[in-house]
């Protein structure tokens, strides 16, 4: 039997309730919600933490790197001048190369904010062994974008081309210009919780 995996899905802030689940062979076998200051019964050890995409900036790092160390150094340069915090107060992370060109996703998150999330996990006796942004792990087919409304949060996922998460009230105004920056890289737009008439974009590919 394959080992189980514990996943924590974060709320909008570190003190918001966390949704947790335990997966066995990719199937959710048990799940629940743990509130701030509490520890979920039976949860402890390593976990995977999924943060809202608005906690970090996500960009495509196109510079080839021979190692993860080189990639993180390039990521620091990629975000230079675009962060509200100093470089020393920022944590940089890079993904695996998405194609033969070496391009990969890079993320930047404020160190104090990341520390707050780690402290929240510690309250539940869990230690993240991997941290992901929700918009970066949503499965997306090549050439397509997914726009997913989850209540007051909307995810925009474009696979190796990046993505972001914003308040749903802001999505109609921001989605179109952001997709326009991708040019012809997106041919199909899948909407979940949204309808084409609610969003503004120059595309006939929405489904």
């Amino acid at each position: 039997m394959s080992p189980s995996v514990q996943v924590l899905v974060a709320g909008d802030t570190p003190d918001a309730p966390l949704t947790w689940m335990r997966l066995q062979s990719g199937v959710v076998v048990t799940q629940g919600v743990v509130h701030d200051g509490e520890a979920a019964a039976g949860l402890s050890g390593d976990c995977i933490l999924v943060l809202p995409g608005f906690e970090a900036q996500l960009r495509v790092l196109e510079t080839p790197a021979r190692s993860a160390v080189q990639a993180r150094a390039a990521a620091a340069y990629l975000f230079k001048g675009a962060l509200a915090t100093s470089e020393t107060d920022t944590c940089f992370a890079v993904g695996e190369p998405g194609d033969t060109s070496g391009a990969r996703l890079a993320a930047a998150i404020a160190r104090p904010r990341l520390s707050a999330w780690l402290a929240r996990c510690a309250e539940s006796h869990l230690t993240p062994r991997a941290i992901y942004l929700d918009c970066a792990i949503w499965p997306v087919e090549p050439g397509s974008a997914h726009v997913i409304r989850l209540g007051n949060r909307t995810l925009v996922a474009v696979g190796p081309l990046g993505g972001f998460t914003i308040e749903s009230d802001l999505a109609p105004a921001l989605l179109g210009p952001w997709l326009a920056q991708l040019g012809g890289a997106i041919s199909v737009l899948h909407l979940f919780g949204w309808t084409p008439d609610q969003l503004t974009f120059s595309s006939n590919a929405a489904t």
Side-chain angles (χ1 to χ4, degrees):
M1 179 179 295
S2 61
S4 62
V5 177
Q6 299 175 131
V7 179
L8 285 181
V9 181
D12 290 344
T13 61
D15 58 357
L18 291 168
T19 299
W20 64 270
M21 60 191 75
R22 183 176 287 112
L23 286 71
Q24 188 83 47
S25 301
V27 177
V28 176
V29 294
T30 182
Q31 59 185 324
V33 174
V34 57
H35 295 273
D36 189 25
E38 299 178 351
L43 283 185
S44 64
D46 292 343
C47 72
I48 293 174
L49 176 62
V50 181
L51 294 179
F54 50 67
E55 286 289 356
Q57 288 195 42
L58 187 66
R59 294 186 175 185
V60 178
L61 178 63
E62 297 180 346
T63 304
R66 297 180 181 177
S67 68
V69 173
Q70 286 185 345
R72 282 193 293 271
Y77 183 80
L78 177 68
F79 289 100
K80 192 174 183 64
L83 302 172
T85 55
S86 66
E87 184 175 326
T88 55
D89 286 330
T90 304
C91 289
F92 300 97
V94 293
E96 294 297 324
D99 54 35
T100 55
S101 72
R104 65 184 81 199
L105 293 180
I109 182 172
R111 192 176 300 274
R113 191 64 170 177
L114 180 59
S115 295
W117 283 109
L118 295 177
R120 179 71 170 87
C121 292
E123 291 181 356
S124 299
H125 308 297
L126 289 164
T127 302
R129 60 178 174 84
I131 302 175
Y132 298 96
L133 299 178
D134 52 12
C135 57
I137 62 170
W138 189 273
V140 176
E141 306 85 359
S144 68
H146 289 208
V147 181
I148 310 101
R149 184 169 189 165
L150 303 173
N152 65 350
R153 185 193 306 181
T154 289
L155 283 64
V156 180
V158 200
L161 298 180
F164 60 94
T165 304
I166 55 173
E167 295 178 11
S168 292
D169 290 345
L170 301 177
L174 298 180
L175 178 61
W178 190 83
L179 288 175
Q181 296 177 6
L182 300 179
I186 302 301
S187 57
V188 179
L189 183 62
H190 297 287
L191 304 179
F192 304 87
W194 289 99
T195 58
D197 60 289
Q198 293 175 308
L199 301 172
T200 302
F201 45 80
S202 55
S203 171
N204 296 319
T207 61

